[in-house]
Amino acid sequence: MNQKMSKFAHITKVHPCYNEKLHDKIGRVHLPVAPKCNIACRYCKRCLGAESLCEERPGVAHHIMKPAEVEDYLTDLLKKMPNIKVIGIAGPGDSLFNKETFETLEILQDKFPEMVRCLSTNGLLLPKYAKKLADLGVKTVTVTANAVDPKIQAQMCDWIYYEGKVLKGEEGAKVLIENQLEGVKKAYDYDLAVKINTVLVPEINMDHIVEIAKTYSDYAFVQNIIPLIPMYKMENLRRPDCGEISSIRDSAEEFMTQFRACQQCRADAAGLLHEKKHMEQTKGKNLDIYDLKHFSH
């Protein structure tokens, strides 16, 4: 663990999602350029436009931004919020399943090279793109890994879309888990700091989360255990209470550093982590939620 801490010290000094002490000092912005997704999480519901304005969670954005709009948007935003030092792509779909993500990263590398660049992903395509992300100057990657057992993962996700095929149940879960682990290992080899996001669903994976931490302990920098927001196909399941979350974090911390101050931010969040600011301007591609079909975060 000390070796990992040393290897990624440059990130922990500047990234508020890796250092809780930075929450009131350093801001971040999420660019909602990636609408499509390649897995169907049972807890995820798309939400765009006016319907999204009162929601504060992943998978939510006022609209989809085009890469061509990124430079002007950031130039204006950084004048208003000079404390922003981190630019991320967090959907509202899966970052690596959208070519617009890579177009945006090229713009960031060219126009905003001083900014820390990061993204979140389900990890299905991370083995394919880990090197490309490193070449584009990405410094941190968040991978949502909710299980390392296909039987448990199959209860979290209905299917995956991989190499032109829809794989359901445990078959799809097995491919997803294998790719997540391979991708995290490759990311580590390319000096990308990896954060593992794990959605805690008491009825499904609560007794399994320590095993996730143990599995990724050699390659991921930190784990972020976040509570289920009951909705979509999991709307009838309960949200874990604070005591359960705290207890599991304490147990998992034996194997991996735990992040304890996640805000579960929108895909278009901007500013300090405790601020509820997001994109509301009329620019960009407005999509009806049904245009996204099955795409999930």
Side-chain angles (χ1 to χ4, degrees), residues 164-179:
K165 297 180 180 178
V166 174
L167 305 177
K168 299 180 179 180
E170 290 185 31
E171 180 185 17
K174 184 174 184 291
V175 172
L176 177 60
I177 291 168
E178 289 174 350
N179 282 25

Side-chain angles (χ1 to χ4, degrees), residues 147-172:
V148 291
D149 180 340
K151 289 184 172 61
I152 296 174
Q153 177 61 40
Q155 299 176 62
M156 303 285 290
C157 179
D158 285 332
W159 50 258
I160 70 169
Y161 178 77
Y162 184 62
E163 294 185 343
K165 297 180 180 178
V166 174
L167 305 177
K168 299 180 179 180
E170 290 185 31
E171 180 185 17

Side-chain angles (χ1 to χ4, degrees), residues 18 118-119 121 126 133 138-143 187 192-195:
Y18 286 71
C118 62
L119 59 78
T121 175
L126 189 54
L133 293 178
V138 172
K139 298 300 183 184
T140 73
V141 175
T142 295
V143 178
L192 300 174
V194 177
K195 173 160 62 73

Side-chain angles (χ1 to χ4, degrees), residues 208-224:
H208 180 65
I209 286 180
V210 173
E211 188 65 26
I212 300 172
K214 188 185 302 183
T215 299
Y216 284 99
S217 61
D218 288 338
Y219 306 101
F221 179 77
V222 65
Q223 184 180 34
N224 177 29

Side-chain angles (χ1 to χ4, degrees), residues 74-116:
L74 287 177
T75 299
D76 183 60
L77 184 68
L78 293 173
K79 290 177 182 176
K80 299 174 182 176
M81 300 180 180
N83 58 11
I84 289 178
K85 305 299 181 185
V86 177
I87 301 175
I89 300 174
D94 184 72
S95 298
L96 300 184
F97 192 53
N98 292 262
K99 64 180 178 60
E100 291 85 357
T101 293
F102 301 99
E103 294 171 7
T104 300
L105 290 173
E106 289 175 358
I107 292 169
L108 298 181
Q109 188 177 43
D110 181 41
K111 302 297 183 181
F112 303 92
E114 73 285 1
M115 294 289 175
V116 174

Side-chain angles (χ1 to χ4, degrees), residues 12-284:
T12 62
K13 292 177 181 178
V14 296
H15 201 312
C17 295
Y18 286 71
N19 187 336
E20 297 163 23
K21 296 178 180 179
L22 300 178
H23 280 199
D24 61 349
K25 298 181 178 70
I26 294 180
R28 63 23 183 149
V29 57
H30 290 166
L31 303 175
V33 297
K36 298 187 299 180
C37 194
N38 48 2
I39 73 174
C41 297
R42 297 178 61 83
Y43 54 77
C44 182
K45 180 183 177 183
R46 306 291 85 212
C47 191
L48 295 172
E51 181 186 359
S52 76
L53 295 183
C54 62
E55 295 202 65
E56 297 293 337
R57 61 176 176 83
V60 170
H62 185 265
H63 67 262
I64 303 303
M65 176 182 283
K66 298 176 182 177
E69 299 168 345
V70 165
E71 183 178 357
D72 287 346
Y73 171 68
L74 287 177
T75 299
D76 183 60
L77 184 68
L78 293 173
K79 290 177 182 176
K80 299 174 182 176
M81 300 180 180
N83 58 11
I84 289 178
K85 305 299 181 185
V86 177
I87 301 175
I89 300 174
D94 184 72
S95 298
L96 300 184
F97 192 53
N98 292 262
K99 64 180 178 60
E100 291 85 357
T101 293
F102 301 99
E103 294 171 7
T104 300
L105 290 173
E106 289 175 358
I107 292 169
L108 298 181
Q109 188 177 43
D110 181 41
K111 302 297 183 181
F112 303 92
E114 73 285 1
M115 294 289 175
V116 174
R117 283 151 271 164
C118 62
L119 59 78
S120 64
T121 175
N122 56 47
L124 182 59
L125 296 177
L126 189 54
K128 180 178 180 180
Y129 291 120
K131 183 179 186 303
K132 185 171 184 178
L133 293 178
D135 290 343
L136 287 169
V138 172
K139 298 300 183 184
T140 73
V141 175
T142 295
V143 178
T144 300
N146 296 321
V148 291
D149 180 340
K151 289 184 172 61
I152 296 174
Q153 177 61 40
Q155 299 176 62
M156 303 285 290
C157 179
D158 285 332
W159 50 258
I160 70 169
Y161 178 77
Y162 184 62
E163 294 185 343
K165 297 180 180 178
V166 174
L167 305 177
K168 299 180 179 180
E170 290 185 31
E171 180 185 17
K174 184 174 184 291
V175 172
L176 177 60
I177 291 168
E178 289 174 350
N179 282 25
Q180 287 174 330
L181 187 53
E182 181 186 354
V184 169
K185 290 178 179 178
K186 284 191 174 183
Y188 178 84
D189 288 341
Y190 288 117
D191 291 333
L192 300 174
V194 177
K195 173 160 62 73
I196 298 295
N197 270 10
T198 301
V199 179
L200 170 56
V201 184
E203 292 93 332
I204 296 176
N205 69 347
M206 185 155 67
D207 296 329
H208 180 65
I209 286 180
V210 173
E211 188 65 26
I212 300 172
K214 188 185 302 183
T215 299
Y216 284 99
S217 61
D218 288 338
Y219 306 101
F221 179 77
V222 65
Q223 184 180 34
N224 177 29
I225 298 170
I226 56 180
L228 170 74
I229 301 175
M231 62 173 57
Y232 192 41
K233 293 184 178 180
M234 290 189 173
E235 64 180 352
N236 294 320
L237 300 184
R238 71 177 180 87
R239 182 186 181 102
D241 62 41
C242 294
E244 289 170 327
I245 298 171
S246 179
S247 176
I248 291 174
R249 284 172 173 164
D250 289 344
S251 298
E253 197 151 36
E254 179 182 348
F255 302 99
M256 196 185 306
T257 301
Q258 296 293 303
F259 189 73
R260 298 171 183 267
C262 178
Q263 302 294 311
Q264 290 183 276
C265 302
R266 292 167 57 103
D268 61 357
L272 299 175
L273 264 67
H274 62 77
E275 297 176 321
K276 303 303 181 184
K277 297 178 181 178
H278 54 78
M279 187 183 307
E280 293 187 32
Q281 69 264 38
T282 57
K283 287 184 184 178

